[in-house]
Amino acid sequence: MDNNNNDNQNPNQYQNQNQYQYQNQNQSQNQYQYQNQYQNQYPNPGSPYPVPGKGKATAALVMGIISVVLCWFGYFAIAALILAIVGLVLSVSAKKEMQASGNFMARGMATAGLVLSIIGVSLSAIVFISFLVCVSSISSIVNYNWF
Amino acid sequence: MLPQIDVFGRPFSMYAIFCVLGIALAILIGTSRSKIIGIQKNDVLYAMLLSVVGLLVGGKILYIVSVIPVLWEYRQMISEHPAILKALFNGGFVFFGAVFGAVGVVYLYCKKYKLKLLPMLDTVAPGIPIAHAFGRLGCLSAGCCYGCSYNGPLALTFPEGCAAPAGTALFPIQPFESVLNIILFIALMLLGRRKRRDGLLFGSYLLFYSIIRFVLEFFRGDAERGILFGFSLSQWISLLLLPLAVYIAFIYHPKNCGPSDDHSQ
């Protein structure tokens, strides 16, 4: 009976030990993962490693702001349109870089750049095309204004 | 009809406002459809936003191509008055050029971020006719892309100050094309309620729009559309697109791409 009891107890002990080991292992793995995730998302201030997409996000934000301001000044709308398009490309590229690296430190700046660039493209297109009409206008220009 | 509106004493082109509204609506529709196709919403949003660049560039390039005969015809006058050239390039955009430009940018985006092109185009496809429908309403307000002389019911007469000839009864081509685009949009949305084989939606759009455009061009009255051997530039493009559209929609079937494939990265 004793042997049987021992036999019965031993597997339980092993099970408990195994469970404990697994728990410890899982905890340390989780801790490691969280640490990595934390480090990726919030690197130490003054870290020598560059934040992915931060430069592009900053440039996109600056271009978005300039385009929103410039688009109200007549033919400067052309420059605003070009700047807003460049801002759009840069902010999308920055967001994709962040997505690929898992580091979202400059996400706010990239989003602001994207939104301002979208506003810049829309407004400058509306203001710029105020001077334009669709394809058939060419006949009216040729017939009525110049010849 | 109403080329521009004044907001706080500043004129804004109704054509541009309609175009921006149409593109915004197309982007909303595209992103809302991303789940059905299985592409990440952000990817659809970014691809569609960037495709606006291609849309502007492509539309303008094809417009310039369409006015080359005019430039050649009036080359003497243009050389004496270079301001005419500026006025000519200040003209508008050609729709097919805009579509090619936008598709080109979507292709580059998919290639750079390793996404499949046809599922992305299928996601975007129903948005194209709705944006175009808004664009045609913009044409109606500016008076451009007008119809031929016509005295039947629903004929349009444009006032002075529009691009169309004032006081002449014209075929209502702009609202007509707008309505046809809305019908095409509804049909594509119904067809795209669930995941179909890759390319079916985009190919169907190209197929039906090419037919619509080819027929409607006969009712257009604006002269400068790059006429070549009796057909306009858009009709030639429609003819060339037809076999391509049939191939994309019904024949082309990429390997390892079942209905349940997830196309996101």
Side-chain angles (χ1 to χ4, degrees), chain A residues 72 96 132 134 136 138 147, chain B residues 10 43 67 77 90 144-145:
Chain A
W72 299 103
K96 291 298 285 186
L132 312 179
C134 199
S136 61
I138 185 163
F147 303 109
Chain B
R10 194 187 176 91
D43 278 320
V67 298
M77 193 68 81
N90 270 2
C144 60
C145 310

Side-chain angles (χ1 to χ4, degrees), chain B residues 22-23 25-27 29 125-135 181-182 185 205:
Chain B
I23 291 168
L25 195 59
I27 291 174
I29 289 164
I128 305 172
I130 200 72
H132 198 186
F134 271 77
N181 268 308
I182 290 170
F185 161 71
Y205 167 72

